[in-house]
Amino acid sequence: MDNIHLQSINSPDLGEVTLLVGDPGRVELISANWENTRLLLENREFILVSGTWKGRQVSICSTGIGVGSTEIAVIELIQSGAKKLVRLGGCGAWKEDLAPGDIMLNHAMVRDQGMLAAYVSDVYPAVADFDLLQKIKSYTARAGFNVHTGIGMTTQSYYLGQGRGHAIESGPKPDTSLMSYWQERHIANCEMETAVLFLLASLYQIPAANCLVVHVNRLSDQWVPDKVYKGYHLKAAEAVLGACLE
């Protein structure tokens, strides 16, 4: 079956590594300094670009936010011949020692019940490729980041599913004990895409990892300003590419 969303993409189009970003705007930011860049596809939330970085072919694809669109991107990239996948994104920190602007590398993820149950039961682990994660850890530390590792959580919800409130007065309210429940179980951070990548990469035997910039510490409510946040992502992308192409 041909790809429905990433149409007409074949293995020669994709580089030695494909970076995955949630925000379509981050594709241009990260690929701006590559050479021989080619826009391969722009369809809905998916923008796919390939180019040359230090003489090696690399790619970057936006996934949009959350489980559903990330599943589409990862499956169709693997189907198109992707060789290595790294999610380069952001997360909220649930530990005091994770400061905004730090790097979080998850070796495993908790996930919502039922997530991707069509592929595998909920007891199947969502884990990174160990060797790839270790290389990224080394390169991001050399780039000057404070680097942390640990187990994170991928949710299907941004608001109530992460214990966040909202401005809607009527209807359900967040469970204020949710974050502390997972903190007691040593969950360091929360986001919305990584477990999808880890699960599918394990099932289809593609090396995968993540590299997340801490955007906010949920305990202190400290955020990285957007302009600075973009700079961190650009710096992290350079380190990830170096690690993947070592």
Side-chain angles (χ1 to χ4, degrees), residues 66-232:
V67 176
S69 59
T70 302
E71 180 245 3
I72 290 171
V74 172
I75 285 294
E76 296 193 10
L77 284 167
I78 292 173
Q79 188 167 280
S80 297
K83 303 160 187 70
K84 194 176 293 180
L85 297 167
V86 178
R87 167 162 152 68
L88 184 69
C91 69
W94 286 3
K95 290 180 66 181
E96 291 180 355
D97 64 342
L98 277 169
D102 286 359
I103 290 292
M104 186 67 211
L105 306 177
N106 293 117
H107 60 265
M109 304 298 288
V110 172
R111 60 197 190 272
D112 289 346
Q113 289 185 345
M115 182 185 291
L116 298 182
Y119 288 88
V120 68
S121 81
D122 291 340
V123 299
Y124 191 93
V127 294
D129 180 273
F130 179 81
D131 292 335
L132 181 56
L133 196 72
Q134 287 295 102
K135 289 179 181 178
I136 294 173
K137 181 181 179 181
S138 175
Y139 270 77
T140 49
R142 273 189 260 167
F145 283 107
N146 293 321
V147 183
H148 308 262
T149 59
I151 303 174
M153 181 174 185
T154 296
T155 66
Q156 299 176 75
S157 161
Y158 180 82
Y159 286 102
L160 267 63
Q162 294 187 21
R164 279 190 173 95
H166 49 56
I168 303 170
E169 293 183 5
S170 62
K173 299 296 186 289
D175 178 357
T176 55
S177 68
L178 185 144
M179 186 163 65
S180 58
Y181 172 88
W182 288 112
Q183 286 173 314
E184 290 171 0
R185 288 150 180 81
H186 308 293
I187 299 305
N189 61 298
C190 189
E191 50 84 90
M192 298 184 69
E193 292 84 25
T194 293
V196 182
L197 170 61
F198 286 2
L199 281 169
L200 296 176
S202 291
L203 290 171
Y204 296 105
Q205 294 294 281
I206 299 291
N210 72 359
C211 179
L212 306 180
V213 179
V214 176
H215 196 186
V216 58
N217 184 294
R218 291 282 304 279
L219 303 177
S220 64
D221 199 33
Q222 290 182 304
W223 290 77
V224 178
D226 284 345
K227 186 175 182 180
V228 177
Y229 187 57
K230 290 179 181 178
Y232 285 144

